[in-house]
Protein backbone atom coordinates (compact mmCIF):
# COMPACT_ATOMS: atom_id res chain seq x y z
CA UNK A 1 0.00 0.00 0.00
CA UNK A 2 1.12 3.52 -0.70
CA UNK A 3 1.96 5.73 2.23
CA UNK A 4 0.92 9.32 2.74
CA UNK A 5 3.19 11.88 4.40
CA UNK A 6 2.66 12.47 8.09
CA UNK A 7 1.67 15.95 9.23
CA UNK A 8 4.54 15.82 11.71
CA UNK A 9 7.03 15.66 8.84
CA UNK A 10 6.88 19.44 8.30
CA UNK A 11 5.65 21.44 5.29
CA UNK A 12 8.98 21.30 3.43
CA UNK A 13 9.27 17.52 3.58
CA UNK A 14 5.59 17.00 2.81
CA UNK A 15 5.79 19.32 -0.21
CA UNK A 16 8.87 17.45 -1.49
CA UNK A 17 7.10 14.09 -1.13
CA UNK A 18 3.97 15.42 -2.91
CA UNK A 19 6.07 16.83 -5.76
CA UNK A 20 7.90 13.51 -6.14
CA UNK A 21 4.62 11.59 -6.17
CA UNK A 22 3.15 13.86 -8.84
CA UNK A 23 6.32 13.74 -10.96
CA UNK A 24 6.98 17.47 -10.63
CA UNK A 25 10.65 18.38 -10.80
CA UNK A 26 12.13 21.18 -8.76
CA UNK A 27 12.75 24.26 -10.87
CA UNK A 28 16.29 25.55 -11.08
CA UNK A 29 16.52 29.08 -9.72
CA UNK A 30 19.04 31.78 -10.21
CA UNK A 31 20.58 32.88 -6.92
CA UNK A 32 18.78 35.59 -5.01
CA UNK A 33 19.76 38.75 -6.83
CA UNK A 34 18.83 41.90 -5.01
CA UNK A 35 16.04 43.44 -3.04
CA UNK A 36 15.55 46.54 -5.17
CA UNK A 37 13.61 47.15 -8.37
CA UNK A 38 16.61 47.76 -10.66
CA UNK A 39 17.17 44.13 -11.58
CA UNK A 40 13.44 43.58 -12.01
CA UNK A 41 13.41 46.28 -14.68
CA UNK A 42 16.19 44.51 -16.63
CA UNK A 43 14.12 41.36 -17.22
CA UNK A 44 12.16 42.06 -20.43
CA UNK A 45 8.42 41.22 -20.65
CA UNK A 46 7.23 38.69 -23.18
CA UNK A 47 4.16 36.58 -24.05
CA UNK A 48 3.42 33.76 -21.64
CA UNK A 49 4.18 30.32 -23.06
CA UNK A 50 2.78 28.31 -20.16
CA UNK A 51 -0.70 28.23 -18.73
CA UNK A 52 -1.57 28.72 -15.09
CA UNK A 53 -2.32 25.01 -14.75
CA UNK A 54 1.27 24.20 -15.77
CA UNK A 55 2.72 26.43 -13.07
CA UNK A 56 0.60 26.34 -9.92
CA UNK A 57 1.37 23.68 -7.30
CA UNK A 58 -0.81 20.59 -6.99
CA UNK A 59 -4.05 20.86 -4.98
CA UNK A 60 -2.43 18.93 -2.13
CA UNK A 61 0.47 21.39 -1.90
CA UNK A 62 -1.95 24.33 -2.14
CA UNK A 63 -3.88 22.93 0.83
CA UNK A 64 -0.59 22.53 2.69
CA UNK A 65 0.31 26.17 1.99
CA UNK A 66 -3.14 27.40 3.06
CA UNK A 67 -2.93 25.45 6.33
CA UNK A 68 0.57 26.81 7.00
CA UNK A 69 -0.53 30.40 6.34
CA UNK A 70 -3.58 29.99 8.59
CA UNK A 71 -1.30 29.10 11.50
CA UNK A 72 0.85 32.26 11.14
CA UNK A 73 1.54 33.56 14.69
CA UNK A 74 0.75 37.20 15.30
CA UNK A 75 4.24 37.93 16.69
CA UNK A 76 5.85 37.48 13.25
CA UNK A 77 3.49 39.91 11.50
CA UNK A 78 5.15 43.10 12.74
CA UNK A 79 7.55 43.50 9.83
CA UNK A 80 8.13 42.14 6.35
CA UNK A 81 11.30 40.18 7.13
CA UNK A 82 9.95 38.07 10.00
CA UNK A 83 6.60 37.51 8.27
CA UNK A 84 8.13 36.34 4.99
CA UNK A 85 10.66 34.18 6.79
CA UNK A 86 7.86 32.31 8.57
CA UNK A 87 5.68 32.02 5.44
CA UNK A 88 8.36 30.75 3.05
CA UNK A 89 11.12 29.00 5.02
CA UNK A 90 9.42 25.60 4.78
CA UNK A 91 9.00 25.70 0.99
CA UNK A 92 11.67 25.25 -1.68
CA UNK A 93 9.90 26.21 -4.89
CA UNK A 94 9.59 29.86 -5.89
CA UNK A 95 5.95 29.42 -6.88
CA UNK A 96 5.17 27.92 -3.46
CA UNK A 97 6.80 30.85 -1.68
CA UNK A 98 4.91 33.39 -3.79
CA UNK A 99 1.66 31.51 -3.21
CA UNK A 100 2.20 31.66 0.57
CA UNK A 101 2.77 35.42 0.33
CA UNK A 102 -0.33 35.90 -1.86
CA UNK A 103 -2.46 33.79 0.44
CA UNK A 104 -1.46 35.70 3.56
CA UNK A 105 -2.13 39.09 1.96
CA UNK A 106 -5.53 38.13 0.53
CA UNK A 107 -6.73 36.69 3.84
CA UNK A 108 -5.37 39.38 6.17
CA UNK A 109 -5.44 42.75 4.37
CA UNK A 110 -8.85 44.27 3.82
CA UNK A 111 -9.64 46.88 1.20
CA UNK A 112 -9.85 50.48 2.40
CA UNK A 113 -13.50 51.27 1.69
CA UNK A 114 -13.31 54.76 3.24
CA UNK A 115 -10.26 55.59 1.15
CA UNK A 116 -12.06 54.42 -1.97
CA UNK A 117 -15.01 56.67 -1.18
CA UNK A 118 -12.89 59.75 -0.39
CA UNK A 119 -10.08 58.96 -2.88
CA UNK A 120 -7.59 59.46 -0.05
CA UNK A 121 -5.90 56.18 0.86
CA UNK A 122 -3.22 57.68 3.08
CA UNK A 123 0.18 56.04 3.52
CA UNK A 124 0.61 52.88 1.49
CA UNK A 125 4.12 51.60 2.21
CA UNK A 126 4.52 47.92 3.05
CA UNK A 127 5.15 48.78 6.72
CA UNK A 128 2.05 50.99 6.90
CA UNK A 129 -0.13 48.30 5.32
CA UNK A 130 1.15 45.69 7.76
CA UNK A 131 0.36 48.01 10.63
CA UNK A 132 -3.13 48.99 9.49
CA UNK A 133 -4.10 45.64 7.89
CA UNK A 134 -5.97 47.82 5.40
CA UNK A 135 -4.99 49.25 2.01
CA UNK A 136 -5.98 50.51 -1.39
CA UNK A 137 -4.66 48.88 -4.55
CA UNK A 138 -1.24 50.59 -4.25
CA UNK A 139 -0.88 49.33 -0.71
CA UNK A 140 -1.59 45.74 -1.77
CA UNK A 141 1.00 46.02 -4.55
CA UNK A 142 3.63 47.61 -2.29
CA UNK A 143 3.29 44.91 0.35
CA UNK A 144 3.37 42.08 -2.21
CA UNK A 145 6.46 43.59 -3.88
CA UNK A 146 8.30 44.07 -0.58
CA UNK A 147 7.59 40.52 0.52
CA UNK A 148 8.71 39.02 -2.80
CA UNK A 149 11.91 41.11 -2.96
CA UNK A 150 12.84 40.17 0.59
CA UNK A 151 13.41 36.62 -0.69
CA UNK A 152 14.97 37.69 -4.01
CA UNK A 153 12.01 37.12 -6.31
CA UNK A 154 11.75 39.70 -9.15
CA UNK A 155 8.48 41.60 -8.99
CA UNK A 156 7.08 44.73 -10.60
CA UNK A 157 4.03 46.91 -10.00
CA UNK A 158 1.95 47.84 -13.06
CA UNK A 159 -0.53 50.71 -13.22
CA UNK A 160 -3.36 51.15 -15.63
CA UNK A 161 -7.09 50.77 -16.09
CA UNK A 162 -9.25 48.17 -14.38
CA UNK A 163 -12.88 47.79 -15.37
CA UNK A 164 -15.77 46.04 -13.68
CA UNK A 165 -19.41 46.75 -12.80
CA UNK A 166 -18.51 49.78 -10.69
CA UNK A 167 -17.02 51.78 -13.56
CA UNK A 168 -18.80 50.50 -16.64
CA UNK A 169 -19.48 53.45 -18.96
CA UNK A 170 -20.83 54.12 -22.43
CA UNK A 171 -17.76 56.25 -23.17
CA UNK A 172 -14.47 54.39 -23.55
CA UNK A 173 -11.37 55.05 -21.43
CA UNK A 174 -9.33 57.89 -22.90
CA UNK A 175 -5.61 58.41 -22.32
CA UNK A 176 -6.03 62.18 -22.05
CA UNK A 177 -9.07 62.38 -19.78
CA UNK A 178 -9.33 59.04 -17.93
CA UNK A 179 -7.40 58.75 -14.69
CA UNK A 180 -5.42 55.64 -13.79
CA UNK A 181 -7.74 53.67 -11.50
CA UNK A 182 -5.93 50.44 -10.61
CA UNK A 183 -2.59 48.76 -10.01
CA UNK A 184 -1.47 45.12 -9.93
CA UNK A 185 1.70 43.05 -9.88
CA UNK A 186 3.80 40.85 -12.13
CA UNK A 187 6.16 38.30 -10.61
CA UNK A 188 8.91 36.34 -12.37
CA UNK A 189 8.20 32.61 -12.07
CA UNK A 190 9.23 29.80 -14.41
CA UNK A 191 11.34 32.16 -16.55
CA UNK A 192 8.24 34.27 -17.31
CA UNK A 193 6.45 37.27 -15.87
CA UNK A 194 3.08 36.25 -14.44
CA UNK A 195 0.16 38.41 -13.30
CA UNK A 196 -0.97 38.71 -9.66
CA UNK A 197 -3.77 40.96 -8.37
CA UNK A 198 -3.97 40.70 -4.59
CA UNK A 199 -6.54 43.52 -4.40
CA UNK A 200 -9.24 41.72 -6.37
CA UNK A 201 -8.45 38.31 -4.90
CA UNK A 202 -8.85 39.70 -1.36
CA UNK A 203 -12.43 40.85 -1.85
CA UNK A 204 -14.73 43.59 -3.09
CA UNK A 205 -17.10 46.34 -1.97
CA UNK A 206 -20.63 44.93 -1.86
CA UNK A 207 -23.93 46.63 -2.70
CA UNK A 208 -24.25 48.18 0.78
CA UNK A 209 -20.76 49.68 0.72
CA UNK A 210 -19.07 47.11 2.95
CA UNK A 211 -15.93 45.11 2.22
CA UNK A 212 -16.72 41.49 1.36
CA UNK A 213 -13.92 38.94 1.73
CA UNK A 214 -13.30 36.60 -1.21
CA UNK A 215 -9.92 35.08 -0.28
CA UNK A 216 -9.73 33.91 -3.88
CA UNK A 217 -6.84 32.91 -6.13
CA UNK A 218 -8.34 33.59 -9.57
CA UNK A 219 -5.88 36.46 -10.13
CA UNK A 220 -2.85 34.47 -8.98
CA UNK A 221 -0.60 33.72 -12.00
CA UNK A 222 -3.62 34.27 -14.24
CA UNK A 223 -3.37 33.56 -17.97
CA UNK A 224 -3.05 36.84 -19.94
CA UNK A 225 -6.19 36.23 -22.04
CA UNK A 226 -8.26 36.14 -18.84
CA UNK A 227 -6.35 38.84 -16.99
CA UNK A 228 -6.56 41.25 -19.92
CA UNK A 229 -10.35 41.19 -19.92
CA UNK A 230 -10.39 43.61 -16.96
CA UNK A 231 -6.80 44.97 -16.84
CA UNK A 232 -5.05 47.34 -19.24
CA UNK A 233 -1.49 48.49 -18.33
CA UNK A 234 -0.51 52.12 -18.92
CA UNK A 235 2.63 53.47 -17.24
CA UNK A 236 4.79 56.57 -17.63
CA UNK A 237 2.50 58.01 -20.33
CA UNK A 238 3.99 55.51 -22.78
CA UNK A 239 1.40 53.33 -24.49
CA UNK A 240 3.82 51.34 -26.66
CA UNK A 241 6.05 50.34 -23.76
CA UNK A 242 3.03 49.58 -21.61
CA UNK A 243 1.52 47.28 -24.26
CA UNK A 244 4.38 44.83 -23.76
CA UNK A 245 3.07 44.21 -20.27
CA UNK A 246 -0.12 42.68 -21.63
CA UNK A 247 2.13 39.60 -22.03
CA UNK A 248 0.44 38.46 -25.25
CA UNK A 249 1.59 38.09 -28.86
CA UNK A 250 -0.87 40.68 -30.19
CA UNK A 251 -1.55 43.50 -27.68
CA UNK A 252 -4.77 45.49 -28.02
CA UNK A 253 -5.29 49.24 -27.80
CA UNK A 254 -7.24 51.05 -25.08
CA UNK A 255 -10.29 51.60 -27.27
CA UNK A 256 -10.62 47.86 -27.93
CA UNK A 257 -10.17 47.13 -24.23
CA UNK A 258 -12.85 49.67 -23.30
CA UNK A 259 -15.30 48.45 -25.93
CA UNK A 260 -15.16 44.78 -24.98
CA UNK A 261 -17.99 43.37 -22.87
CA UNK A 262 -17.17 42.67 -19.24
CA UNK A 263 -16.83 38.90 -18.83
CA UNK A 264 -16.64 37.92 -15.19
CA UNK A 265 -14.46 35.44 -13.32
CA UNK A 266 -17.23 32.83 -13.03
CA UNK A 267 -17.59 32.71 -16.80
CA UNK A 268 -13.85 32.41 -17.36
CA UNK A 269 -13.45 29.71 -14.72
CA UNK A 270 -16.26 27.64 -16.23
CA UNK A 271 -15.53 28.18 -19.90
CA UNK A 272 -18.61 30.25 -20.75
CA UNK A 273 -18.10 32.40 -23.84
CA UNK A 274 -19.98 35.16 -25.68
CA UNK A 275 -21.14 34.01 -29.12
CA UNK A 276 -22.76 37.36 -29.93
CA UNK A 277 -22.43 40.90 -28.57
CA UNK A 278 -18.77 41.01 -27.67
CA UNK A 279 -18.94 44.76 -26.99
CA UNK A 280 -20.05 46.43 -23.77
CA UNK A 281 -22.62 48.69 -25.47
CA UNK A 282 -25.69 47.13 -27.10
CA UNK A 283 -28.02 49.42 -29.01
CA UNK A 284 -31.49 47.91 -29.32
CA UNK A 285 -34.46 48.64 -31.56
CA UNK A 286 -37.44 46.94 -29.87
CA UNK A 287 -35.65 43.66 -29.08
CA UNK A 288 -32.43 41.69 -29.49
CA UNK A 289 -30.97 38.26 -28.68
CA UNK A 290 -27.68 37.53 -26.88
CA UNK A 291 -26.16 34.04 -27.19
CA UNK A 292 -23.70 32.61 -24.67
CA UNK A 293 -21.86 29.36 -25.34
CA UNK A 294 -22.02 26.29 -23.15
CA UNK A 295 -18.73 24.68 -22.09
CA UNK A 296 -18.01 20.98 -21.57
CA UNK A 297 -20.11 21.23 -18.41
CA UNK A 298 -23.41 22.61 -19.75
CA UNK A 299 -25.31 25.56 -18.34
CA UNK A 300 -28.16 24.43 -16.09
CA UNK A 301 -29.93 27.75 -15.54
CA UNK A 302 -29.67 31.43 -16.43
CA UNK A 303 -30.92 34.54 -14.67
CA UNK A 304 -30.81 38.20 -15.72
CA UNK A 305 -31.10 41.56 -13.97
CA UNK A 306 -31.68 44.86 -15.74
CA UNK A 307 -31.45 48.26 -14.04
CA UNK A 308 -32.28 51.67 -15.45
CA UNK A 309 -29.10 53.75 -15.34
CA UNK A 310 -30.70 57.16 -14.97
CA UNK A 311 -33.49 56.24 -12.53
CA UNK A 312 -33.07 57.69 -9.05
CA UNK A 313 -34.51 54.58 -7.38
CA UNK A 314 -32.55 52.27 -9.73
CA UNK A 315 -35.49 50.00 -10.58
CA UNK A 316 -34.58 46.38 -11.32
CA UNK A 317 -36.53 44.71 -14.12
CA UNK A 318 -36.49 40.93 -14.50
CA UNK A 319 -39.41 40.34 -16.87
CA UNK A 320 -37.92 41.97 -19.97
CA UNK A 321 -35.49 39.08 -20.48
CA UNK A 322 -36.03 35.45 -21.47
CA UNK A 323 -33.42 32.68 -21.67
CA UNK A 324 -33.85 29.73 -24.03
CA UNK A 325 -31.78 26.56 -23.87
CA UNK A 326 -29.96 25.54 -27.07
CA UNK A 327 -29.47 21.86 -26.24
CA UNK A 328 -26.21 21.38 -24.34
CA UNK A 329 -24.33 23.94 -26.42
CA UNK A 330 -25.51 27.27 -25.06
CA UNK A 331 -28.33 29.65 -24.19
CA UNK A 332 -30.19 32.38 -26.08
CA UNK A 333 -31.22 35.43 -24.04
CA UNK A 334 -33.95 37.55 -25.58
CA UNK A 335 -34.43 41.19 -24.51
CA UNK A 336 -37.61 43.22 -24.94
CA UNK A 337 -37.32 46.78 -23.66
CA UNK A 338 -40.25 48.93 -22.50
CA UNK A 339 -38.71 52.41 -22.43
CA UNK A 340 -36.32 54.47 -24.53
CA UNK A 341 -33.55 54.74 -21.96
CA UNK A 342 -30.26 53.10 -20.92
CA UNK A 343 -29.99 49.95 -18.83
CA UNK A 344 -27.29 47.89 -17.12
CA UNK A 345 -27.82 44.21 -17.96
CA UNK A 346 -26.21 41.54 -15.76
CA UNK A 347 -26.30 37.90 -16.84
CA UNK A 348 -25.91 35.07 -14.31
CA UNK A 349 -25.57 31.33 -14.88
CA UNK A 350 -25.46 28.11 -12.90
CA UNK A 351 -23.47 25.16 -14.17
CA UNK A 352 -24.99 21.67 -14.36
CA UNK A 353 -23.83 19.04 -11.85
CA UNK A 354 -21.98 21.59 -9.73
CA UNK A 355 -22.90 22.35 -6.14
CA UNK A 356 -22.82 26.12 -6.32
CA UNK A 357 -25.06 29.12 -6.69
CA UNK A 358 -25.48 31.40 -9.67
CA UNK A 359 -22.33 33.19 -10.80
CA UNK A 360 -22.03 36.40 -12.79
CA UNK A 361 -21.26 35.83 -16.49
CA UNK A 362 -21.27 39.23 -18.22
CA UNK A 363 -22.35 42.85 -17.83
CA UNK A 364 -23.61 45.08 -20.63
CA UNK A 365 -24.87 48.60 -21.20
CA UNK A 366 -28.12 48.31 -23.15
CA UNK A 367 -29.32 51.44 -24.93
CA UNK A 368 -32.94 51.22 -26.10
CA UNK A 369 -33.54 53.37 -29.19
CA UNK A 370 -37.10 52.27 -29.95
CA UNK A 371 -39.77 50.22 -28.18
CA UNK A 372 -42.44 47.84 -29.46
CA UNK A 373 -46.02 49.09 -29.27
CA UNK A 374 -47.50 45.75 -28.19
CA UNK A 375 -44.82 44.49 -25.83
CA UNK A 376 -45.80 41.82 -23.32
CA UNK A 377 -43.75 41.05 -20.21
CA UNK A 378 -42.18 37.62 -19.89
CA UNK A 379 -43.13 35.48 -16.88
CA UNK A 380 -40.62 35.33 -14.04
CA UNK A 381 -37.22 34.77 -15.58
CA UNK A 382 -35.36 31.51 -15.72
CA UNK A 383 -34.24 29.21 -18.50
CA UNK A 384 -36.87 27.94 -20.94
CA UNK A 385 -37.11 24.61 -22.72
CA UNK A 386 -36.31 21.12 -21.41
CA UNK A 387 -34.05 20.50 -18.44
CA UNK A 388 -30.74 18.82 -19.23
CA UNK A 389 -31.76 15.62 -17.43
CA UNK A 390 -35.22 15.27 -19.06
CA UNK A 391 -34.42 11.88 -20.66
CA UNK A 392 -33.12 10.48 -17.38
CA UNK A 393 -36.53 10.98 -15.74
CA UNK A 394 -38.64 9.42 -18.49
CA UNK A 395 -39.33 12.07 -21.17
CA UNK A 396 -38.77 11.48 -24.88
CA UNK A 397 -36.36 13.53 -27.00
CA UNK A 398 -39.25 14.97 -29.01
CA UNK A 399 -40.01 17.50 -26.25
CA UNK A 400 -36.97 19.54 -27.31
CA UNK A 401 -38.43 20.40 -30.71
CA UNK A 402 -40.85 23.09 -29.53
CA UNK A 403 -41.32 24.88 -26.25
CA UNK A 404 -42.86 28.21 -27.35
CA UNK A 405 -46.51 28.18 -28.35
CA UNK A 406 -49.09 30.77 -29.29
CA UNK A 407 -52.86 30.63 -28.89
CA UNK A 408 -55.62 33.00 -29.98
CA UNK A 409 -58.48 31.40 -28.04
CA UNK A 410 -57.05 31.16 -24.51
CA UNK A 411 -56.73 27.36 -24.56
CA UNK A 412 -54.02 25.06 -25.91
CA UNK A 413 -53.34 21.30 -25.93
CA UNK A 414 -49.69 20.29 -25.58
CA UNK A 415 -48.56 16.75 -26.46
CA UNK A 416 -45.66 15.56 -24.29
CA UNK A 417 -44.15 12.14 -25.16
CA UNK A 418 -42.81 9.94 -22.34
CA UNK A 419 -41.31 6.45 -22.24
CA UNK A 420 -42.63 5.46 -18.81
CA UNK A 421 -45.78 6.00 -16.77
CA UNK A 422 -45.42 8.81 -14.24
CA UNK A 423 -47.36 11.37 -12.21
CA UNK A 424 -47.18 14.87 -13.70
CA UNK A 425 -47.36 18.08 -11.68
CA UNK A 426 -48.17 21.17 -13.84
CA UNK A 427 -47.76 24.81 -12.87
CA UNK A 428 -49.02 27.76 -14.94
CA UNK A 429 -47.87 31.30 -14.12
CA UNK A 430 -48.81 34.60 -15.72
CA UNK A 431 -46.26 37.27 -16.55
CA UNK A 432 -48.23 39.68 -14.37
CA UNK A 433 -48.43 37.49 -11.27
CA UNK A 434 -45.88 35.27 -9.55
CA UNK A 435 -48.68 33.12 -8.11
CA UNK A 436 -49.91 30.04 -9.92
CA UNK A 437 -53.05 30.33 -12.08
CA UNK A 438 -55.12 27.80 -10.14
CA UNK A 439 -57.00 24.89 -11.80
CA UNK A 440 -55.80 26.10 -15.19
CA UNK A 441 -54.11 22.91 -16.45
CA UNK A 442 -55.74 19.50 -16.95
CA UNK A 443 -53.34 16.56 -17.36
CA UNK A 444 -54.55 13.51 -19.30
CA UNK A 445 -52.24 10.52 -19.82
CA UNK A 446 -51.82 7.15 -21.44
CA UNK A 447 -48.91 4.70 -21.34
CA UNK A 448 -46.61 6.67 -23.69
CA UNK A 449 -47.82 10.26 -23.73
CA UNK A 450 -49.17 13.19 -21.77
CA UNK A 451 -51.61 15.82 -22.95
CA UNK A 452 -51.57 19.06 -20.98
CA UNK A 453 -54.60 21.25 -21.64
CA UNK A 454 -53.93 24.79 -20.47
CA UNK A 455 -56.42 27.65 -20.14
CA UNK A 456 -55.39 31.28 -19.78
CA UNK A 457 -57.80 33.89 -18.41
CA UNK A 458 -56.41 36.89 -20.28
CA UNK A 459 -53.93 38.10 -22.85
CA UNK A 460 -50.22 37.87 -22.06
CA UNK A 461 -47.26 35.52 -21.69
CA UNK A 462 -47.49 32.44 -19.48
CA UNK A 463 -44.96 29.96 -18.13
CA UNK A 464 -46.10 26.33 -18.00
CA UNK A 465 -43.76 24.03 -16.08
CA UNK A 466 -44.24 20.28 -16.45
CA UNK A 467 -42.67 18.31 -13.59
CA UNK A 468 -42.42 14.67 -12.58
CA UNK A 469 -43.42 13.62 -9.08
CA UNK A 470 -40.95 11.10 -7.69
CA UNK A 471 -41.56 8.21 -5.30
CA UNK A 472 -40.33 10.26 -2.32
CA UNK A 473 -42.81 13.05 -3.07
CA UNK A 474 -40.32 15.54 -4.52
CA UNK A 475 -40.90 17.29 -7.84
CA UNK A 476 -38.41 17.36 -10.73
CA UNK A 477 -39.08 19.97 -13.46
CA UNK A 478 -38.75 18.47 -16.95
CA UNK A 479 -39.64 21.32 -19.31
CA UNK A 480 -40.68 24.98 -19.14
CA UNK A 481 -43.06 26.12 -21.89
CA UNK A 482 -43.68 29.73 -22.86
CA UNK A 483 -47.24 30.30 -24.05
CA UNK A 484 -48.21 33.57 -25.68
CA UNK A 485 -51.95 34.14 -25.36
CA UNK A 486 -53.40 36.71 -27.77
CA UNK A 487 -56.95 36.49 -26.37
CA UNK A 488 -58.05 35.06 -23.04
CA UNK A 489 -60.51 32.17 -22.62
CA UNK A 490 -63.86 34.01 -22.52
CA UNK A 491 -65.65 33.52 -20.29
CA UNK A 492 -62.76 31.96 -18.39
CA UNK A 493 -63.69 28.70 -16.71
CA UNK A 494 -61.16 26.74 -14.62
CA UNK A 495 -60.95 22.96 -14.84
CA UNK A 496 -62.38 20.70 -12.11
CA UNK A 497 -59.96 19.68 -9.39
CA UNK A 498 -58.28 16.52 -10.68
CA UNK A 499 -56.85 14.19 -8.05
CA UNK A 500 -53.55 12.33 -8.75
CA UNK A 501 -55.45 9.07 -9.36
CA UNK A 502 -56.74 10.59 -12.63
CA UNK A 503 -53.29 10.01 -14.11
CA UNK A 504 -52.93 6.60 -12.46
CA UNK A 505 -56.12 5.33 -14.16
CA UNK A 506 -55.34 7.14 -17.45
CA UNK A 507 -58.63 9.04 -17.29
CA UNK A 508 -59.59 11.39 -20.12
CA UNK A 509 -62.36 13.85 -19.28
CA UNK A 510 -64.27 14.73 -22.45
CA UNK A 511 -66.95 16.81 -20.71
CA UNK A 512 -67.67 18.81 -18.65
CA UNK A 513 -64.20 20.38 -18.57
CA UNK A 514 -65.17 23.07 -16.10
CA UNK A 515 -64.95 23.54 -12.36
CA UNK A 516 -68.39 25.09 -11.79
CA UNK A 517 -71.61 23.30 -12.72
CA UNK A 518 -75.12 24.82 -12.73
CA UNK A 519 -77.07 23.68 -9.66
CA UNK A 520 -80.17 21.49 -10.09
CA UNK A 521 -79.50 21.06 -13.80
CA UNK A 522 -78.97 18.04 -16.01
CA UNK A 523 -75.29 17.78 -16.98
CA UNK A 524 -73.81 15.27 -19.41
CA UNK A 525 -70.58 13.45 -18.45
CA UNK A 526 -68.30 11.69 -20.94
CA UNK A 527 -65.15 9.91 -19.73
CA UNK A 528 -62.60 7.50 -21.20
CA UNK A 529 -60.35 5.15 -19.18
CA UNK A 530 -58.97 1.67 -19.94
CA UNK A 531 -58.49 0.92 -16.22
CA UNK A 532 -61.59 2.20 -14.43
CA UNK A 533 -64.37 -0.36 -13.82
CA UNK A 534 -66.97 1.85 -12.18
CA UNK A 535 -67.82 5.48 -11.51
CA UNK A 536 -69.99 6.95 -8.77
CA UNK A 537 -71.39 10.47 -8.88
CA UNK A 538 -73.60 11.55 -6.02
CA UNK A 539 -75.80 8.55 -5.17
CA UNK A 540 -75.56 6.92 -8.61
CA UNK A 541 -73.05 4.29 -9.77
CA UNK A 542 -72.23 3.79 -13.44
CA UNK A 543 -70.51 0.84 -15.09
CA UNK A 544 -68.62 0.67 -18.34
CA UNK A 545 -70.84 -0.21 -21.30
CA UNK A 546 -68.99 0.33 -24.57
CA UNK A 547 -65.23 -0.24 -24.64
CA UNK A 548 -63.49 2.19 -22.31
CA UNK A 549 -66.14 4.93 -22.51
CA UNK A 550 -68.71 6.29 -20.07
CA UNK A 551 -71.54 8.54 -21.26
CA UNK A 552 -74.26 9.51 -18.79
CA UNK A 553 -76.35 12.46 -17.62
CA UNK A 554 -77.09 13.38 -13.99
CA UNK A 555 -79.11 15.97 -12.13
CA UNK A 556 -76.74 18.12 -10.09
CA UNK A 557 -77.49 18.95 -6.42
CA UNK A 558 -78.23 22.36 -4.95
CA UNK A 559 -75.84 25.31 -5.07
CA UNK A 560 -72.59 25.78 -3.16
CA UNK A 561 -71.76 22.09 -2.87
CA UNK A 562 -68.58 20.18 -3.69
CA UNK A 563 -69.78 17.59 -6.18
CA UNK A 564 -67.40 14.61 -6.00
CA UNK A 565 -66.84 11.93 -8.62
CA UNK A 566 -65.45 8.60 -7.40
CA UNK A 567 -64.07 5.70 -9.41
CA UNK A 568 -61.94 2.61 -9.26
CA UNK A 569 -61.80 -1.14 -9.64
CA UNK A 570 -63.78 -3.92 -7.97
CA UNK A 571 -61.74 -3.69 -4.77
CA UNK A 572 -60.65 -0.04 -4.81
CA UNK A 573 -62.49 3.26 -5.06
CA UNK A 574 -61.21 6.80 -4.59
CA UNK A 575 -61.91 10.44 -5.44
CA UNK A 576 -61.30 11.41 -9.08
CA UNK A 577 -62.73 14.86 -9.79
CA UNK A 578 -64.23 17.60 -7.66
CA UNK A 579 -66.77 19.98 -9.20
CA UNK A 580 -68.63 22.87 -7.57
CA UNK A 581 -72.33 23.63 -8.01
CA UNK A 582 -73.40 27.27 -8.38
CA UNK A 583 -76.58 29.21 -9.16
CA UNK A 584 -75.08 30.46 -12.43
CA UNK A 585 -71.82 30.29 -14.37
CA UNK A 586 -69.80 33.11 -12.80
CA UNK A 587 -67.76 35.82 -14.43
CA UNK A 588 -63.95 35.43 -14.50
CA UNK A 589 -63.23 37.54 -11.40
CA UNK A 590 -65.89 35.65 -9.43
CA UNK A 591 -64.40 32.36 -10.63
CA UNK A 592 -61.06 33.37 -9.18
CA UNK A 593 -62.62 34.22 -5.80
CA UNK A 594 -64.60 30.98 -5.69
CA UNK A 595 -61.51 28.93 -6.57
CA UNK A 596 -59.42 30.43 -3.80
CA UNK A 597 -62.27 30.08 -1.27
CA UNK A 598 -62.88 26.42 -2.08
CA UNK A 599 -59.19 25.55 -2.12
CA UNK A 600 -58.77 26.91 1.39
CA UNK A 601 -61.35 24.49 2.76
CA UNK A 602 -59.94 21.70 4.87
CA UNK A 603 -62.35 19.18 3.31
CA UNK A 604 -60.84 19.67 -0.13
CA UNK A 605 -57.29 19.49 1.17
CA UNK A 606 -58.04 16.07 2.65
CA UNK A 607 -59.65 14.61 -0.45
Amino acid sequence: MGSCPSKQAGPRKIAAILREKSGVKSASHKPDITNNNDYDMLIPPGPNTKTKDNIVPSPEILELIDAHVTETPSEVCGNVATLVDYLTRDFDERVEKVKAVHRWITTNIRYDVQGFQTREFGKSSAEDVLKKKCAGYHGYCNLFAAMCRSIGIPVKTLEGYGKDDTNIEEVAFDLQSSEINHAWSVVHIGEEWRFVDCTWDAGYINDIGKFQWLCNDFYFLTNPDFFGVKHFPYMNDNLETSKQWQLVDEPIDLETFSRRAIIHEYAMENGIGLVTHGDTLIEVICETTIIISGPSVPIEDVSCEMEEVYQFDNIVHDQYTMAERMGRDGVKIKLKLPTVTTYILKIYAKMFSKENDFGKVATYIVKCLQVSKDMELFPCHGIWGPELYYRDIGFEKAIVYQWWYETSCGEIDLYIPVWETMEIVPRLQSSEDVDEVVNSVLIQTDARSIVAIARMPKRGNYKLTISKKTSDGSVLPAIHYLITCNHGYIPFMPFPIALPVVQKFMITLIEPKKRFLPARNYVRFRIISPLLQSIRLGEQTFTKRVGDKWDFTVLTPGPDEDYMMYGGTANYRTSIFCFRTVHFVPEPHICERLIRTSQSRRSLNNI
Side-chain angles (χ1 to χ4, degrees), residues 428-489:
L428 185 70
Q429 293 172 279
S430 166
S431 60
E432 298 180 3
D433 192 352
V434 296
D435 294 329
E436 181 179 359
V437 184
V438 292
N439 296 344
S440 57
V441 184
L442 181 63
I443 298 294
Q444 310 202 310
T445 66
D446 59 29
R448 295 300 303 274
S449 67
I450 299 164
V451 175
I453 308 172
R455 281 180 184 164
M456 287 134 288
K458 53 188 175 182
R459 172 191 173 96
N461 284 319
Y462 292 80
K463 178 181 183 179
L464 173 60
T465 299
I466 299 295
S467 303
K468 175 184 178 178
K469 190 170 185 178
T470 62
S471 57
D472 63 0
S474 60
V475 173
L476 288 176
I479 185 169
H480 307 276
Y481 290 104
L482 178 62
I483 303 173
T484 298
C485 179
N486 297 322
H487 298 284
Y489 190 93

Side-chain angles (χ1 to χ4, degrees), residues 407-413 428 437 439-440 453-460 462 485-495 510 512-515 585-589 591:
T407 175
S408 297
C409 65
E411 181 171 302
I412 191 168
D413 295 5
L428 185 70
V437 184
N439 296 344
S440 57
I453 308 172
R455 281 180 184 164
M456 287 134 288
K458 53 188 175 182
R459 172 191 173 96
Y462 292 80
C485 179
N486 297 322
H487 298 284
Y489 190 93
I490 300 177
F492 177 70
M493 180 59 64
F495 292 107
I510 307 299
K513 291 181 180 176
K514 54 186 179 180
R515 171 82 172 97
V585 176
E587 294 296 322
H589 68 282
C591 273

